[in-house]
Amino acid sequence: MKKKTEVPPFDGLKPQVHSAPEAAGGLAAIVSGLQHAIGEMGPVRGLRELAHVNQMKGFDCPGCAWPDPDDRRDLTEFCENGAKAIAEEATRAKADPDFFARHSVEEMGGWTDFEIGKSGRITHPMWLKNGATHYAPISWSEALDLLAKELQAAASPDEAVFYTSGRTSNEAAYLYQLLVRLYGTNNLPDCSNMCHESSGLALKESIGIGKGSVTLEDFDHSDCILVIGQNPGTNHPRMLTTLQKAARRGARIITLNPLNETAMKRFKHPQEFWTWFGRGTPMATLHLPVRVNGDMAALKGLMKHLVEKDLQTAGKVLNHEFIRANTAGFEEFLAELKRTSWEEIVRESGLSREHLTAAAEVIAGAKAMICCWAMGITQQTDGVAIIQEIVNLLMLGGHLGRAGAGVCPVRGHSNVQGDRTMGIHENPPASFTNAISKEFGFQAPQEAGYDVVEAIRAMHDGKVRVFVGMGGNFISSSPDTEFTGEALRRTRLTVQVSTKLNRSHLVTGEQALILPCLGRTEKDLQKTGEQFITVENSMSVVHASRGNLAPQSEFLKSEVAIVCELGAKLFQGTPSEGLVPWSEFRDDYDRIRDRIERTIPGFSDFNARVRNSPGGFYLPHGVRDELRFDTSSGKAEFKTFRLGKLELPPGALMLMTVRTHDQFNTTIYGLNDRYRGIQHGRRVIFLNEADIRELGFSAGQWVDITSHFGQKERKAEKFMIVPYDIPRRCAASYFPETNVLVPIDSVVGKSNTPTYKSIVVTLTPAQGVGP
């Protein structure tokens, strides 16, 4: 039996706790970014790559999906964490066949995620044979033959699962979903299922489109910006520049978050050297320290005050004209809001009425308001409902479809939104499947496939023969780590298309393949010449990305080439052979874009527009472009929810998982969390000082964390208590170490997203670790 390697091991480090800085950014951000870039790439290569990232003719940062300015670029159009992401990809370190010969899968499984990630770029296709202890090199032809034969041997196409990461380009994603549907299944789970699935579903129901409605320019016209369940300073640092501009011109910024994050207090723009030694720009006007899972109550409190003030002022607060002309369901919404008492709101939110009304007064005076949110909302049990309450709040003031106002779900990976546009979806609309069926002459499957949680369950039940991961780190991203690890081990073959080693290469089926691909920073040379790819950012802008480095190895293939060469082998000798010109697509990506243009709305003249608009072009958006709501009623829809009661057992806490500042998704850049004062370690749990005393613990004590859901308990061992400014009976700790606590059965209503922000836990003293 294979040794379990899915749970990150205890690293033996005792984290050091220091005071957090007063402001984010500044000289410290520059020093940190350059240390990573130069340390991984060297000074010449490192500085050259930083000069190319996010430029008009450069490559798109492989990090977050925050947009670039439409018509201009600064010389340094990147952030500290973008520099870290580029350094990780363009590192000089290599995980070549000799590396894999020296290190067994079992040995590497005992490494921390930080140690695994520092192994370097994978240079050759690698194969872990059934029963083998080490990966060994394999030719591309043999690797793709092995994968094709396993897929062909399946009793049903539904015995295969095809996962996608947000890094995948539009061109690769389009071909990948085409291959999967030509094969005969919609089993296309993706990272959206674990992050912004709740956003897409909620917005589709409320306003008719599952994407944000604002542009970057809208932030220049907004006088009120709500940042809800989001930490821009770590997860989307370039957003701070946008928020700083807004704050400097007088816009009011309100944060709704259990943690009062450093970047939302003050920010020093790293390019403004004259500010490095000052205090920085004040950012948030108000911070509402809502309890973990108290956001719905807080939003109801804001809206209740607006409604009450509207009654007191004879209708001068709400935008009644907008509500009458453009919305449905207002009366039902209003009745439920009136039934909700202030006592309930205060109890469930953890906020005082005075705190909520102060924020509501700012909102009442806003002429144009934007609401931003991220996974602090989407991964709560009521994530979909909370997002729809955010839309309700915007509709009360008519803050949709006009300059400076709208919804802004901030996506976490650079093309995760584009992948969904390209059809990476387990349950695509019939209009999409009909379009590709007509274009390529086959009948695409209509039955919904597996999302991430369903795929894990199917693998665990022995229903899946082959798992293919197009990028990403599935085991470390997924909930219920031990359950997911066991699920993957029950497959016959796991395949990972990757740039670097991660834990998913070490938790495998009976046999495993690693297929190394080009990164964003590398040139993509095919038979017709150098190719470029396209991506879509958080604000529906599609633009080109061109790598500039020679590939790390001659054995790397582009994601497009991998899909095309697999397609040629998989369908050879079948009725589907010849339906898709795989070789033509591999050799010339323009031909892929031609087909995207013919099958997906909004991509007319795709090749011409993406070349002639260096900053990219906007996809159509009914709400943004013409105040059109493609809902069943033809209007924006108020959604009504009863406020529930959150009751924790005695001694229990509500835990949310968070990232460190030295981390992007599951990639660990380093062992510090500068903005929270943590150095040289990751295994910490942030608690309120009063809770530490009440529970009988002390600062610096090591504890085991146990989650409780239904009749089952899950444990994460050895975490150090850190006193922090967090609401009572709330806790925060880093993922992926604490993903083991997230129950596979605990999901967001409707979206089926795992509830990484709604984990009921208790603490016990840890054994075998010093004070």
Side-chain angles (χ1 to χ4, degrees):
M1 175 171 297
K2 294 181 179 180
K3 182 178 178 180
K4 292 185 177 182
T5 54
E6 57 265 32
V7 179
F10 176 56
D11 55 16
L13 300 175
K14 182 176 181 178
Q16 300 169 7
V17 183
H18 302 271
S19 297
E22 184 181 50
L27 184 59
I30 294 176
V31 171
S32 175
L34 289 177
Q35 284 177 336
H36 282 268
I38 294 173
E40 293 283 355
M41 297 183 284
V44 176
R45 178 185 174 96
L47 294 174
R48 184 174 65 237
E49 287 311 284
L50 294 179
H52 277 80
V53 64
N54 294 328
Q55 298 301 317
M56 294 287 193
K57 295 185 178 180
F59 59 88
D60 190 60
C61 178
C64 81
W66 189 252
D68 309 305
D70 289 341
D71 55 356
R72 60 174 178 79
R73 296 288 191 277
D74 291 331
L75 179 62
T76 51
E77 195 65 57
F78 61 89
C79 66
E80 174 191 352
N81 280 357
K84 295 174 186 176
I86 296 159
E88 283 286 308
E89 179 179 295
T91 178
R92 295 169 297 182
K94 295 183 179 182
D96 57 16
D98 287 342
F99 169 89
F100 285 101
R102 291 194 305 272
H103 304 293
S104 69
V105 170
E106 182 176 332
E107 177 194 350
M108 293 187 288
W111 297 350
T112 65
D113 290 84
F114 174 63
E115 292 168 327
I116 292 170
K118 292 303 179 184
S119 300
R121 287 289 298 275
I122 302 166
T123 62
H124 291 65
M126 304 300 295
W127 179 25
L128 184 68
K129 298 180 183 180
N130 192 357
T133 59
H134 291 66
Y135 275 98
I138 183 175
S139 71
W140 272 106
S141 180
E142 291 172 318
L144 294 176
D145 278 339
L146 173 61
L147 173 53
K149 288 175 182 177
E150 284 291 340
L151 291 171
Q152 291 163 347
S156 162
D158 291 330
E159 290 186 352
V161 165
F162 300 86
Y163 176 73
T164 313
S165 156
R167 185 204 65 205
T168 307
S169 69
N170 286 332
E171 291 75 14
Y174 183 80
L175 292 185
Y176 189 52
Q177 64 80 26
L178 179 60
L179 179 147
V180 172
R181 294 192 166 103
L182 187 60
Y183 176 64
T185 185
N186 278 318
N187 286 348
L188 280 159
D190 73 318
C191 55
S192 284
N193 297 150
M194 294 184 280
C195 58
H196 273 284
E197 193 70 45
S198 300
S199 297
L201 195 152
L203 293 176
K204 180 68 176 174
E205 290 184 351
S206 288
I207 64 172
I209 183 169
K211 297 181 180 183
S213 66
V214 300
T215 68
L216 196 58
E217 185 181 355
D218 280 317
F219 283 83
D220 294 334
H221 304 286
S222 178
D223 60 353
C224 182
I225 301 168
L226 269 62
V227 180
I228 310 171
Q230 184 194 1
N231 178 16
T234 287
N235 301 336
H236 314 92
R238 287 198 301 145
M239 183 178 177
L240 294 179
T241 302
T242 302
L243 294 177
Q244 183 187 51
K245 286 174 59 180
R248 283 175 169 173
R249 62 174 176 77
R252 310 292 293 275
I253 299 174
I254 300 171
T255 60
L256 188 66
N257 198 330
L259 303 179
N260 191 5
E261 302 286 11
T262 295
M264 296 311 298
K265 298 176 185 177
R266 290 180 176 273
F267 174 59
K268 303 176 186 179
H269 196 306
Q271 294 181 33
E272 297 177 352
F273 63 87
W274 58 91
T275 68
W276 290 353
F277 304 104
R279 297 190 65 198
T281 303
M283 298 289 275
T285 306
L286 288 172
H287 170 65
L288 305 184
V290 64
R291 67 187 291 200
V292 178
N293 281 222
D295 298 88
M296 179 180 286
L299 288 163
K300 283 185 177 292
L302 297 176
M303 293 186 288
K304 190 173 183 69
H305 180 76
L306 294 177
V307 168
E308 291 174 347
K309 184 170 183 176
D310 188 70
L311 289 172
Q312 296 166 4
T313 59
K316 294 181 179 179
V317 175
L318 305 187
N319 190 329
H320 292 279
E321 181 180 352
F322 178 90
I323 293 169
R324 282 193 299 271
N326 298 293
T327 73
F330 177 66
E331 295 303 326
E332 295 86 347
F333 159 81
L334 189 61
E336 180 58 43
L337 190 61
K338 289 179 179 179
R339 279 194 295 267
T340 305
S341 70
W342 274 108
E343 180 183 7
E344 292 176 278
I345 289 168
V346 168
R347 182 190 69 227
E348 296 304 314
S349 68
L351 299 167
S352 69
R353 181 171 179 176
E354 291 73 23
H355 212 161
L356 287 165
T357 55
E361 283 294 316
V362 174
I363 294 170
K367 299 293 187 289
M369 182 170 72
I370 294 173
C371 287
C372 309
W373 68 90
M375 289 183 286
I377 298 300
T378 66
Q379 294 175 340
Q380 290 187 36
T381 302
D382 293 324
V384 171
I386 295 168
I387 294 163
Q388 291 178 330
E389 292 282 27
I390 292 172
V391 178
N392 290 344
L393 174 63
L394 288 164
M395 288 191 292
L396 289 180
H399 299 294
L400 290 173
R402 55 191 175 86
V407 292
C408 183
V410 185
R411 309 281 176 171
H413 210 162
S414 62
N415 197 42
V416 63
Q417 184 163 300
D419 288 349
R420 182 56 59 90
T421 301
M422 292 297 109
I424 301 295
H425 192 189
E426 77 281 354
N427 190 19
S431 58
F432 180 86
T433 53
N434 290 341
I436 62 168
S437 296
K438 180 180 179 181
E439 178 68 24
F440 292 99
F442 76 105
Q443 181 56 56
Q446 300 297 309
E447 185 176 350
Y450 299 138
D451 64 17
V452 163
V453 169
E454 292 164 345
I456 294 169
R457 287 198 159 283
M459 288 189 285
H460 200 271
D461 292 342
K463 297 178 180 179
V464 174
R465 180 187 184 97
V466 178
F467 174 89
V468 180
M470 180 63 73
N473 183 358
F474 187 79
I475 185 64
S476 295
S477 303
S478 297
D480 214 337
T481 312
E482 291 183 346
F483 185 92
T484 301
E486 184 59 35
L488 287 164
R489 282 190 290 272
R490 293 181 181 182
T491 63
R492 281 181 53 88
L493 174 66
T494 49
V495 181
Q496 307 288 345
V497 179
S498 307
T499 56
K500 296 190 69 180
L501 191 68
N502 63 52
R503 193 167 294 279
S504 291
H505 303 125
L506 312 176
V507 183
T508 71
E510 293 177 12
Q511 54 184 334
L513 289 170
I514 303 175
L515 305 180
C517 67
L518 296 173
R520 288 272 180 87
T521 56
E522 291 166 316
K523 292 181 180 179
D524 186 349
L525 299 174
Q526 303 298 336
K527 284 187 178 179
T528 60
E530 188 172 339
Q531 307 297 313
F532 67 87
I533 59 168
T534 62
V535 296
E536 178 187 344
N537 64 35
S538 271
M539 295 178 185
S540 302
V541 177
V542 176
H543 63 90
S545 176
R546 298 172 175 84
N548 67 306
L549 291 176
Q552 289 274 40
S553 164
E554 63 180 300
F555 297 100
L556 303 184
K557 289 183 181 290
S558 71
E559 292 173 319
V560 166
I562 293 170
V563 173
C564 289
E565 291 176 22
L566 173 62
K569 288 179 179 289
L570 179 60
F571 301 113
Q572 187 174 12
T574 73
S576 297
E577 183 177 12
L579 293 180
V580 178
W582 299 110
S583 296
E584 178 183 328
F585 287 161
R586 178 197 60 198
D587 296 343
D588 187 351
Y589 297 0
D590 279 357
R591 304 289 75 78
I592 307 169
R593 288 185 282 271
D594 287 341
R595 301 301 186 101
I596 293 172
E597 175 182 334
R598 296 209 289 260
T599 52
I600 301 179
F603 286 88
S604 59
D605 299 321
F606 190 2
N607 276 305
R609 291 166 74 199
V610 78
R611 283 180 167 86
N612 298 331
S613 303
F617 61 88
Y618 284 88
L619 293 177
H621 192 292
V623 178
R624 181 194 68 212
D625 301 337
E626 49 188 304
L627 198 61
R628 188 187 75 246
F629 302 100
D630 295 323
T631 62
S632 57
S633 66
K635 296 185 175 184
E637 299 189 356
F638 278 93
K639 299 295 182 181
T640 301
F641 305 97
R642 182 77 183 95
L643 182 60
K645 185 175 183 180
L646 176 62
E647 295 184 290
L648 292 172
L653 305 162
M654 184 64 80
L655 174 76
M656 63 177 184
T657 65
V658 296
R659 299 184 198 172
T660 75
H661 193 62
D662 267 358
Q663 176 179 352
F664 177 72
N665 292 343
T666 60
T667 300
I668 313 302
Y669 302 135
L671 299 177
N672 300 325
D673 190 4
R674 188 171 74 250
Y675 294 154
R676 299 190 184 108
I678 304 300
Q679 295 182 11
H680 194 57
R682 292 179 49 82
R683 299 183 80 88
V684 300
I685 181 168
F686 298 105
L687 301 176
N688 185 287
E689 287 193 76
D691 287 328
I692 296 173
R693 291 192 300 270
E694 186 175 293
L695 294 171
F697 296 115
S698 59
Q701 184 174 351
W702 291 87
V703 294
D704 295 335
I705 311 171
T706 301
S707 69
H708 305 266
F709 186 83
Q711 301 302 309
K712 188 172 180 180
E713 296 181 348
R714 297 160 176 83
K715 182 177 286 188
E717 297 181 339
K718 299 182 176 65
F719 289 78
M720 192 183 84
I721 291 176
V722 175
Y724 207 77
D725 183 12
I726 187 172
R728 291 293 308 271
R729 304 202 69 184
C730 297
S733 191
Y734 303 135
F735 70 87
E737 290 86 348
T738 50
N739 284 354
V740 67
L741 300 170
V742 184
I744 190 69
D745 299 318
S746 180
V747 294
V748 180
K750 292 187 177 181
S751 71
N752 215 34
T753 295
T755 55
Y756 301 93
K757 304 296 187 287
S758 302
I759 313 168
V760 178
V761 302
T762 55
L763 309 179
T764 53
Q767 303 299 313
V769 61

